[in-house]
Every structure is written in structure tokens, then in C-alpha cells.
Amino acid sequence: MNTPSLQAAILPPSAGWGWIVQGYALFRRQPLAMIFWSTATSFLINLGAAIPVLGQILLVSLTPLLTFLTLCACRHLSLGQRMLPGMWLRPLQEAGTTSALLRLGLAYLGCTLLAALAAVLPFLSQLLAAIGTEAQPDYATLAAAMTGPMIVFGGFYVLLSALFWHAPALMGWHRLPLRRALFYSMVACWRNKWAIILYVASWAAVFYGLHQALDGLVAAGVSTVALVWLSLVLDILITALLYCSFYPIYATIFRDATA
């Protein structure tokens, strides 16, 4: 793909909701495939969370690669192609793709660690005071001390999300170098910031509504075991729908220039 012809379209705010609708349409084409992928990635996330430090580092580093595989699968669905087991990892067999995505993953990890460090340093004295010298710290005080760093990190993470949002597709499909992919991603997100805000807000409303519904079932006296299984199934299903909505964002902003 020639870089000069790669232009990010400017879409109306309503596109944010349209991406979710288009994602649902993709999901309906082959729901079992996307449910499988949602289950597999959920297993990897839980496995990474269970391994202290190293697991989280690997998970963050592999995020761009997993995102690219998700986009490739959804693109196959958009073209009417059935996702077979051997197709999931096939995009990584193209020369240079895996190494490029791993470099992107390391950049993402480095930026995330720098953002966390920058968020914690201004509040370091408060955090140390909250931890104290006792074996069991006051968790309420510690939670209050963590509020500031979390807010600052949230602001940094918005910037990181814009930088890396489209970078996996731009490096994997368009073969852009790392810096240029980050620049193009930032520009595309800025041009479509209102649509992205509506998109994120819509998904936040979905997850909030799900949480409220589960709380209502708890209040109604539904058994804990049934709720655990219901929550697991709904989480996998909604995550699959979320993944399917990633591809329409790229396809409409960059007009699916790889097709």
C-alpha cells in the first residue's frame, strides 16, 4: 500500500453507534468463530493475570498482535469467508508481520510503563504514607491515595489509546514503520474524536447496564452459581461483539484500503 494514498476520513459522530451496529452484523455471519476467539483471548487474559508481573508484561506486549488477528478475522467475515481453525494465525506467517507487531507491542509496553510512572511519581509520598510500615495497611486510606494516580493515568491512557488504536492494522496491512503508524493513528482518532467518544460511551452503557441487570438478579435471590455462569457467558458474548466492532472502525475511517 502506498502511504500517500492512505487518508483518514472524517466521519460524523453517529458513526460511533454505526460501528457497533456493523460489528453486530459481522458477528451474525459467524457467531461461533467469534465466540471461540473471545473465549481464547479471555483465557489468555486470565492466564496473564494469574502470573505475577511477567504475565501482565506479556499480555500488554501481545495486545497489538492479538488486535491484528481480531481485525483479520473480522475482515474475512466482511468478505463472506468462513473462518476455519487454520486461518486464525495465518496472518502472522507473512514476512515481517510478527516482528513488526512485536515491536509495536514493546513500544506499547514501554509507553504504558512510562505513563504509570508519570502518574505515580507526583503522588509517591502520599502512597508511601498510606502504605505505612504495618504489615496490614489501611486499605481505605490506600484506595483514597490511589485516586489521584488513577485519574492521571487515565488521562495518559486516552492518549496512548489514540496512538495505538489503528497502529496494528497500519503496520500489519499497510507496512508502515512504527513512528508513522502511530502518527497516522493519532490523526485518524483526532479527526473522528466525537464518533469515538460516542462509541466508547455506548459500550460503557452496555457494560453498565449488564452490571445493573446482574445486581438486580442478586437482589431477586438468584443463586450465586447460576449468576457466575450467566456472567461468564454474557462476558464472552459481549466481548465477541466488541471485537467485531473493531474492524468497522478501521474499514470506514481508512475505507478498507487493503481490499
Side-chain angles (χ1 to χ4, degrees), residues 197-238:
I197 289 173
L198 179 58
Y199 170 82
V200 173
S202 297
W203 275 117
V206 169
F207 282 101
Y208 176 78
L210 174 62
H211 178 75
Q212 291 298 107
L214 292 175
D215 285 347
L217 292 176
V218 171
V222 178
S223 70
T224 302
V225 175
L227 284 175
V228 168
W229 282 105
L230 178 61
S231 177
L232 177 63
V233 171
L234 289 176
D235 179 66
I236 291 174
L237 179 60
I238 292 178

Side-chain angles (χ1 to χ4, degrees), residues 20-50:
I20 297 176
V21 174
Q22 294 171 52
Y24 174 68
L26 283 179
F27 174 79
R28 290 183 59 185
R29 294 191 177 192
Q30 201 175 343
L32 291 181
M34 297 311 299
I35 288 174
F36 158 77
W37 186 242
S38 175
T39 304
T41 54
S42 295
F43 172 77
L44 290 176
I45 291 172
N46 290 327
L47 180 62

